[in-house]
Amino acid sequence: MILVTTADKGSKMMATNNNGNCYLCSETLGKTAMKNHLLKKHGASDAGQKCYLLKVEGSYEDYWLYLDVPVTASFSTLDTFLRKIWLECCGHMSSFFNPDNMMYRSEIGKSRKWETLAVGEKIGYQYDYGSTTTMLVTVAGETIRTAQKSVVRLLARNVPPVFQCTVCGKSASLVCTAYPFDSDNQFLCDSCFDENEDEYMLPITNSPRTGICAYDGGLDVFEFKPLHGGS
Ligand SMILES: [Zn+2]
Ligand SMILES: [Zn+2]
Ligand SMILES: [Zn+2]
């Protein structure tokens, strides 16, 4: 399946291995290995909440998350979580949809519960109908977790990709927003920005919404911090 993307960011991205971090034990693994890791190592508490392991991928697939959510929770809990970690800029509208037909997206109500999906099923999600960020959600497995305070729990997340400053080649911290992928200065480091202050830039974030609308990652409190003694 091909997801709708507004641009190909890959060309200016520095090499990325597409690894992610396990937030439960600090292990670093690729996307598929991470799924197996989560199911095997963290997926079977003796008693607790029956959950689905969800994989969420940005339309540009270097951005990914694994989450768990009780099967009795509704889709709206994921909407709230994704706005926080990846998306919210100006309170845009969002919806879930059937991903089988990307052209004519038939909406799925947010009150629907996760248990109406089977393991292996996918749904689409889009935020902002103007400068749309599109995501794909896969029910990757079934787990049991000990009761959690938050309904949606972050289990794993991609290592932040690194972008190269278009001017000097060092690691960039800012992305051009107006037409990020047509601009001469797509990505800038802080010192090159000081010399190009007329450019309209936003911070580079670990999100598929980097550089879109007014997104600055301000609500993302989910930065990976290795556990003490973790690898
Ligand atoms: Zn782990
Ligand atoms: Zn916005
Ligand atoms: Zn630079």
Side-chain angles (χ1 to χ4, degrees):
M1 174 189 358
I2 295 163
L3 287 177
V4 178
T5 59
T6 48
D8 174 18
K9 288 195 265 190
S11 53
K12 293 288 179 188
M13 193 184 259
M14 288 171 126
T16 156
N17 52 21
N18 206 19
N19 274 346
N21 302 115
C22 176
Y23 278 57
L24 301 180
C25 74
S26 294
E27 185 111 35
T28 304
L29 294 165
K31 202 196 294 184
T32 308
M34 186 62 83
K35 177 184 111 175
N36 298 330
H37 170 80
L38 290 169
L39 288 172
K40 254 194 188 153
K41 285 233 170 122
H42 307 298
S45 298
D46 290 339
Q49 300 170 304
K50 187 180 167 194
C51 289
Y52 273 155
L53 174 68
L54 303 179
K55 176 174 70 174
V56 187
E57 293 165 291
S59 50
Y60 182 66
E61 59 176 33
D62 270 317
Y63 298 103
W64 53 267
L65 308 169
Y66 281 104
L67 313 165
D68 64 10
V69 61
V71 294
T72 51
S74 63
F75 289 179
S76 65
T77 56
L78 181 64
D79 178 47
T80 305
F81 184 82
L82 290 178
R83 283 172 182 265
K84 233 173 147 183
I85 192 168
W86 265 4
L87 300 169
E88 190 70 277
C89 48
C90 333
H92 298 282
M93 301 222 286
S94 62
S95 61
F96 292 92
F97 60 92
N98 180 342
D100 292 339
N101 189 339
M102 294 299 285
M103 291 299 287
Y104 304 98
R105 295 176 179 178
S106 59
E107 205 172 312
I108 305 172
K110 287 179 186 164
S111 60
R112 201 167 139 181
K113 293 189 159 79
W114 290 104
E115 61 195 356
T116 62
L117 297 177
V119 173
E121 280 196 87
K122 296 171 195 289
I123 51 170
Y125 171 82
Q126 57 188 351
Y127 174 80
D128 181 2
Y129 302 160
S131 306
T132 308
T133 304
T134 306
M135 283 138 280
L136 184 67
V137 184
T138 306
V139 179
E142 212 176 275
T143 59
I144 305 280
R145 73 178 188 192
T146 52
Q148 299 292 316
K149 252 189 268 164
S150 9
V151 182
V152 176
R153 178 175 62 157
L154 177 62
L155 301 174
R157 180 182 197 175
N158 65 278
V159 172
V162 177
F163 295 86
Q164 200 171 3
C165 174
T166 318
V167 177
C168 75
K170 287 186 192 145
S171 161
S173 53
L174 297 158
V175 56
C176 180
T177 61
Y179 297 98
F181 308 109
D182 297 334
S183 160
D184 287 340
N185 296 321
Q186 289 182 313
F187 304 105
L188 290 176
C189 67
D190 289 334
S191 49
C192 291
F193 175 66
D194 290 341
E195 290 160 26
N196 294 274
E197 276 186 16
D198 51 327
E199 298 279 343
Y200 187 50
M201 311 293 282
L202 279 172
I204 288 176
T205 61
N206 189 10
S207 156
R209 201 159 172 79
T210 292
I212 309 291
C213 194
Y215 184 72
D216 65 2
L219 299 177
D220 176 11
V221 295
F222 302 97
E223 192 191 339
F224 177 67
K225 295 182 193 82
L227 300 169
H228 187 67
S231 57

PDB file of all heavy atoms in Angstrom, residues 21-27 29 34 37-38 41-42 155, ligand 1:
ATOM      1  N   ASN A  21      13.838   2.589  20.225  1.00  0.00           N
ATOM      2  CA  ASN A  21      14.152   2.290  21.623  1.00  0.00           C
ATOM      3  C   ASN A  21      12.940   1.690  22.312  1.00  0.00           C
ATOM      4  O   ASN A  21      11.837   2.189  22.174  1.00  0.00           O
ATOM      5  CB  ASN A  21      14.541   3.573  22.370  1.00  0.00           C
ATOM      6  CG  ASN A  21      15.731   4.279  21.745  1.00  0.00           C
ATOM      7  OD1 ASN A  21      15.589   5.399  21.251  1.00  0.00           O
ATOM      8  ND2 ASN A  21      16.873   3.636  21.746  1.00  0.00           N
ATOM      9  N   CYS A  22      13.189   0.633  23.094  1.00  0.00           N
ATOM     10  CA  CYS A  22      12.153   0.091  23.958  1.00  0.00           C
ATOM     11  C   CYS A  22      12.109   0.938  25.227  1.00  0.00           C
ATOM     12  O   CYS A  22      13.117   1.075  25.914  1.00  0.00           O
ATOM     13  CB  CYS A  22      12.440  -1.370  24.304  1.00  0.00           C
ATOM     14  SG  CYS A  22      11.246  -2.044  25.481  1.00  0.00           S
ATOM     15  N   TYR A  23      10.952   1.515  25.518  1.00  0.00           N
ATOM     16  CA  TYR A  23      10.820   2.381  26.686  1.00  0.00           C
ATOM     17  C   TYR A  23      10.691   1.590  27.988  1.00  0.00           C
ATOM     18  O   TYR A  23      10.714   2.169  29.061  1.00  0.00           O
ATOM     19  CB  TYR A  23       9.619   3.318  26.510  1.00  0.00           C
ATOM     20  CG  TYR A  23       9.941   4.540  25.669  1.00  0.00           C
ATOM     21  CD1 TYR A  23      10.435   4.400  24.376  1.00  0.00           C
ATOM     22  CD2 TYR A  23       9.770   5.830  26.160  1.00  0.00           C
ATOM     23  CE1 TYR A  23      10.737   5.507  23.601  1.00  0.00           C
ATOM     24  CE2 TYR A  23      10.071   6.946  25.394  1.00  0.00           C
ATOM     25  CZ  TYR A  23      10.557   6.777  24.118  1.00  0.00           C
ATOM     26  OH  TYR A  23      10.870   7.888  23.355  1.00  0.00           O
ATOM     27  N   LEU A  24      10.549   0.279  27.881  1.00  0.00           N
ATOM     28  CA  LEU A  24      10.407  -0.533  29.084  1.00  0.00           C
ATOM     29  C   LEU A  24      11.739  -1.092  29.564  1.00  0.00           C
ATOM     30  O   LEU A  24      11.933  -1.299  30.757  1.00  0.00           O
ATOM     31  CB  LEU A  24       9.417  -1.672  28.839  1.00  0.00           C
ATOM     32  CG  LEU A  24       7.998  -1.251  28.417  1.00  0.00           C
ATOM     33  CD1 LEU A  24       7.117  -2.461  28.210  1.00  0.00           C
ATOM     34  CD2 LEU A  24       7.383  -0.308  29.436  1.00  0.00           C
ATOM     35  N   CYS A  25      12.671  -1.372  28.638  1.00  0.00           N
ATOM     36  CA  CYS A  25      13.951  -1.957  29.067  1.00  0.00           C
ATOM     37  C   CYS A  25      15.155  -1.338  28.365  1.00  0.00           C
ATOM     38  O   CYS A  25      16.271  -1.801  28.539  1.00  0.00           O
ATOM     39  CB  CYS A  25      13.934  -3.469  28.854  1.00  0.00           C
ATOM     40  SG  CYS A  25      14.095  -3.959  27.123  1.00  0.00           S
ATOM     41  N   SER A  26      14.951  -0.302  27.539  1.00  0.00           N
ATOM     42  CA  SER A  26      16.033   0.446  26.877  1.00  0.00           C
ATOM     43  C   SER A  26      16.736  -0.299  25.750  1.00  0.00           C
ATOM     44  O   SER A  26      17.759   0.162  25.252  1.00  0.00           O
ATOM     45  CB  SER A  26      17.079   0.939  27.887  1.00  0.00           C
ATOM     46  OG  SER A  26      16.503   1.889  28.752  1.00  0.00           O
ATOM     47  N   GLU A  27      16.219  -1.435  25.350  1.00  0.00           N
ATOM     48  CA  GLU A  27      16.812  -2.157  24.224  1.00  0.00           C
ATOM     49  C   GLU A  27      16.631  -1.341  22.933  1.00  0.00           C
ATOM     50  O   GLU A  27      15.616  -0.675  22.754  1.00  0.00           O
ATOM     51  CB  GLU A  27      16.126  -3.507  24.081  1.00  0.00           C
ATOM     52  CG  GLU A  27      16.718  -4.407  23.036  1.00  0.00           C
ATOM     53  CD  GLU A  27      17.411  -5.623  23.652  1.00  0.00           C
ATOM     54  OE1 GLU A  27      16.948  -6.133  24.681  1.00  0.00           O
ATOM     55  OE2 GLU A  27      18.407  -6.045  23.065  1.00  0.00           O
ATOM     56  N   LEU A  29      16.341  -1.704  18.865  1.00  0.00           N
ATOM     57  CA  LEU A  29      16.034  -2.733  17.864  1.00  0.00           C
ATOM     58  C   LEU A  29      15.366  -2.104  16.643  1.00  0.00           C
ATOM     59  O   LEU A  29      14.811  -1.010  16.724  1.00  0.00           O
ATOM     60  CB  LEU A  29      15.071  -3.774  18.459  1.00  0.00           C
ATOM     61  CG  LEU A  29      15.581  -4.656  19.610  1.00  0.00           C
ATOM     62  CD1 LEU A  29      14.416  -5.351  20.296  1.00  0.00           C
ATOM     63  CD2 LEU A  29      16.591  -5.667  19.096  1.00  0.00           C
ATOM     64  N   MET A  34      11.445  -5.181  17.050  1.00  0.00           N
ATOM     65  CA  MET A  34      10.848  -4.550  18.236  1.00  0.00           C
ATOM     66  C   MET A  34       9.479  -5.154  18.533  1.00  0.00           C
ATOM     67  O   MET A  34       9.130  -5.384  19.693  1.00  0.00           O
ATOM     68  CB  MET A  34      10.726  -3.037  18.031  1.00  0.00           C
ATOM     69  CG  MET A  34      10.254  -2.285  19.254  1.00  0.00           C
ATOM     70  SD  MET A  34      11.399  -2.430  20.663  1.00  0.00           S
ATOM     71  CE  MET A  34      12.609  -1.148  20.246  1.00  0.00           C
ATOM     72  N   HIS A  37      10.062  -8.422  20.172  1.00  0.00           N
ATOM     73  CA  HIS A  37      10.598  -8.150  21.502  1.00  0.00           C
ATOM     74  C   HIS A  37       9.467  -7.780  22.471  1.00  0.00           C
ATOM     75  O   HIS A  37       9.384  -8.309  23.580  1.00  0.00           O
ATOM     76  CB  HIS A  37      11.615  -7.017  21.409  1.00  0.00           C
ATOM     77  CG  HIS A  37      12.066  -6.468  22.727  1.00  0.00           C
ATOM     78  ND1 HIS A  37      13.025  -7.085  23.501  1.00  0.00           N
ATOM     79  CD2 HIS A  37      11.673  -5.359  23.413  1.00  0.00           C
ATOM     80  CE1 HIS A  37      13.205  -6.375  24.605  1.00  0.00           C
ATOM     81  NE2 HIS A  37      12.403  -5.330  24.582  1.00  0.00           N
ATOM     82  N   LEU A  38       8.603  -6.887  22.057  1.00  0.00           N
ATOM     83  CA  LEU A  38       7.521  -6.415  22.937  1.00  0.00           C
ATOM     84  C   LEU A  38       6.544  -7.537  23.266  1.00  0.00           C
ATOM     85  O   LEU A  38       6.093  -7.670  24.400  1.00  0.00           O
ATOM     86  CB  LEU A  38       6.787  -5.239  22.287  1.00  0.00           C
ATOM     87  CG  LEU A  38       7.601  -3.938  22.197  1.00  0.00           C
ATOM     88  CD1 LEU A  38       6.889  -2.918  21.311  1.00  0.00           C
ATOM     89  CD2 LEU A  38       7.852  -3.343  23.581  1.00  0.00           C
ATOM     90  N   LYS A  41       8.870 -10.291  25.441  1.00  0.00           N
ATOM     91  CA  LYS A  41       9.447  -9.895  26.726  1.00  0.00           C
ATOM     92  C   LYS A  41       8.480  -9.137  27.610  1.00  0.00           C
ATOM     93  O   LYS A  41       8.582  -9.158  28.822  1.00  0.00           O
ATOM     94  CB  LYS A  41      10.687  -9.017  26.488  1.00  0.00           C
ATOM     95  CG  LYS A  41      11.893  -9.782  26.023  1.00  0.00           C
ATOM     96  CD  LYS A  41      13.100  -9.469  26.911  1.00  0.00           C
ATOM     97  CE  LYS A  41      14.252 -10.400  26.623  1.00  0.00           C
ATOM     98  NZ  LYS A  41      15.457  -9.675  26.223  1.00  0.00           N
ATOM     99  N   HIS A  42       7.588  -8.380  27.006  1.00  0.00           N
ATOM    100  CA  HIS A  42       6.749  -7.486  27.809  1.00  0.00           C
ATOM    101  C   HIS A  42       5.256  -7.736  27.619  1.00  0.00           C
ATOM    102  O   HIS A  42       4.446  -6.969  28.104  1.00  0.00           O
ATOM    103  CB  HIS A  42       7.036  -6.025  27.460  1.00  0.00           C
ATOM    104  CG  HIS A  42       8.486  -5.638  27.545  1.00  0.00           C
ATOM    105  ND1 HIS A  42       9.198  -5.685  28.712  1.00  0.00           N
ATOM    106  CD2 HIS A  42       9.349  -5.212  26.589  1.00  0.00           C
ATOM    107  CE1 HIS A  42      10.445  -5.279  28.473  1.00  0.00           C
ATOM    108  NE2 HIS A  42      10.564  -5.002  27.192  1.00  0.00           N
ATOM    109  N   LEU A 155       5.385   2.260  24.255  1.00  0.00           N
ATOM    110  CA  LEU A 155       6.292   1.137  24.505  1.00  0.00           C
ATOM    111  C   LEU A 155       7.610   1.292  23.761  1.00  0.00           C
ATOM    112  O   LEU A 155       8.663   0.921  24.267  1.00  0.00           O
ATOM    113  CB  LEU A 155       5.630  -0.172  24.066  1.00  0.00           C
ATOM    114  CG  LEU A 155       4.310  -0.533  24.746  1.00  0.00           C
ATOM    115  CD1 LEU A 155       3.714  -1.764  24.101  1.00  0.00           C
ATOM    116  CD2 LEU A 155       4.521  -0.750  26.237  1.00  0.00           C
TER     117      LEU A 155
HETATM  118 ZN    ZN B   1      12.093  -4.043  26.146  1.00  0.00          ZN
END
